[in-house]
Amino acid sequence: MTGTAVLSAYGPGTETLLWGVLSGRSAFAPVQRFDVSARRAGFAAAMAGSPQLDAEVARAVSEACDDAGLSASDRARTPLFLAIHGDPAAPRAAAAGRPALGPEAFAATVAHACGLAEQDLRCYMSACVAASSAIGDAAAIIARGLAARVVVAGGYLVEPDQFALFDAGRVLASDGQVRPFSAGRRGLLLGDGVGALVIESSEAARARRALPLARIAGWGRSGDAYHPCQPRPDGHGLARAITAALQRAGAVAAGIGYINAHGSGTAASDPAEANALRLALGDAAETVPVSSTKSLHGQALEASGVLELIVTLLALRKGMLPVNAGYLGVDDGCSLRLVLDEPLATDAELAMSLNCAFGGANTAIVVGLP
C-alpha cells in the first residue's frame, strides 16, 4: 500500500482518524442529518452537515493517488475497485433517469473525475465484506502479475433508508454505544466511512521510487452457508478465512500482533467470532490483543473493510493499539484478550483485520509493516 485517504465521523484525514480511535472516545451522537423521531434508536457516528457520497468518494480516491505520488499517466493505467451499497441518487430518481444511474455508473463517474482507467472497473456490494473482498481481489490480481496497481475505495454515509432497515430489525443499540464482546451489549450503530487505498506490486512501487506505507501479507475468504443473517455459531466459517490468510502470509498465529475484529456488538455475532478466533489461533487466542474499532467509529457497511484496514495499519505504524470501547464486563462466550481502558503499546509488525456480512460471508486481511 503506497497511498491512503480516509474520512470518518471524526473528520477528514488519517491523522484525525488515528487521534479519534486512540482517544478512546466514540464518535456516536444523536442523529441530526435526518429525522429519527419515529425510530427505536437515534444514534450514529456521523459528521456534521450533509456530505455527498459522490464528492467524498472522489475526494478520497484523488487524495490517495496524491499520497502515493501517482502521475496522470500512472492513474490512467490504474483501475478502480469500488465498494458501495449503490448509487444514492437512484432510489428517488424519476423512472426515465434510472437507467443512467446505478453502482457501475457511479464508479465510472468517480474514475473519470480522478483520471483513473475507465475500463476494468469493479463494483462490490456484498455488505460489510465488500471493501475487504475488493482488497483481497486487488492483492491477488497484482500478485499474479495481472495488474501493476489498483485503487480500492469504499464509501458509506449514514442515510435514512439503511438506518430505518437496521432499526426495524432491532439491531441498533438503543443506549448509544457499541460494546463488542461485552456483557450488556445491545447491538451495532452505523457510522460514516469513506476511504481509499493505492495497492501496487513492490516492483511498480520501486520503479516510481514510492515509499510503501504497509504491505498486504495475506488474505482469506469463506462462506458459512448457514443463515441469511446470523453467523455460524461455532465460528468454523470465519476460522477458515483466518487460516487461509495466515497461510498465504506465511505467518503463525502467535506472530499476529493485533486483530481488529469485526466485533459488531450483536448477541449472535460476537460469540461466533470469538469461537472462530479460538479455532484458528489456538492457544494464541489467549495472548493476541483484540479490539473492534467499530466501537469507536461505527459500522460503515460496504466501506468497513477499507476504513478498518486503514485504522489497523495506522495503529501498527504508530505502535499503539486502540481500545475495545464500551466494555461493561466479561461475557464468558467472548473470552479474548481485549484491549481495554487505554491504548496498548506494541512493536508488532503484523496485524489482521476481520469482516463478516449477512449471508455468511467472511474475510481476513493480514497487513504488515514494510
Side-chain angles (χ1 to χ4, degrees), residues 201-250:
S201 69
S202 56
E203 294 82 1
R206 282 196 297 269
R208 299 191 304 107
R209 298 182 178 178
L211 295 176
L213 302 172
R215 60 189 176 89
I216 297 176
W219 56 94
R221 282 183 285 191
S222 68
D224 287 356
Y226 172 78
H227 187 273
C229 299
Q230 296 178 10
R232 181 169 164 163
D234 61 14
H236 275 274
L238 177 57
R240 291 200 309 275
I242 294 169
T243 300
L246 290 172
Q247 290 175 342
R248 188 168 274 117

Side-chain angles (χ1 to χ4, degrees), residues 6 13 27 55 122 127 133 176 196 247 261 301-302 320 360 363:
V6 71
R122 292 192 184 187
S133 295
Q247 290 175 342
L301 300 184
E302 284 77 14
M320 297 295 292
T363 59

Side-chain angles (χ1 to χ4, degrees), residues 119-295:
Q119 64 276 7
D120 300 322
L121 288 168
R122 292 192 184 187
C123 292
Y124 291 76
M125 301 175 66
S126 47
C128 302
V129 299
S132 49
S133 295
I135 291 165
D137 280 355
I141 288 168
I142 292 167
R144 293 171 185 166
L146 301 177
R149 182 183 305 108
V150 175
V151 173
V152 176
Y156 173 74
L157 297 175
V158 178
E159 42 74 44
D161 293 346
Q162 288 295 99
F163 192 95
L165 286 172
F166 277 90
D167 187 71
R170 304 183 70 83
V171 295
L172 296 182
S174 57
D175 62 350
Q177 293 295 321
V178 178
R179 308 180 189 278
F181 309 111
S182 171
R185 61 189 181 277
R186 296 189 179 182
L188 63 87
L189 289 173
L190 301 175
D192 288 344
V194 178
L197 296 169
V198 177
I199 305 172
E200 56 187 313
S201 69
S202 56
E203 294 82 1
R206 282 196 297 269
R208 299 191 304 107
R209 298 182 178 178
L211 295 176
L213 302 172
R215 60 189 176 89
I216 297 176
W219 56 94
R221 282 183 285 191
S222 68
D224 287 356
Y226 172 78
H227 187 273
C229 299
Q230 296 178 10
R232 181 169 164 163
D234 61 14
H236 275 274
L238 177 57
R240 291 200 309 275
I242 294 169
T243 300
L246 290 172
Q247 290 175 342
R248 188 168 274 117
V252 296
I256 300 297
Y258 170 59
I259 295 174
N260 192 346
H262 176 69
S264 64
T266 60
S269 179
D270 289 0
E273 185 171 10
N275 287 338
L277 287 168
R278 289 191 289 266
L279 280 171
L281 304 184
D283 291 343
E286 298 180 5
T287 58
V288 176
V290 176
S291 67
S292 168
T293 57
K294 287 183 179 73
S295 64

Side-chain angles (χ1 to χ4, degrees), residues 53-54 84-92 98 100-107 109 125:
L53 188 61
D54 53 354
I84 194 169
H85 181 70
D87 188 334
R92 293 172 176 80
R98 287 177 191 163
L101 301 174
E104 297 86 355
F106 187 100
T109 299
M125 301 175 66

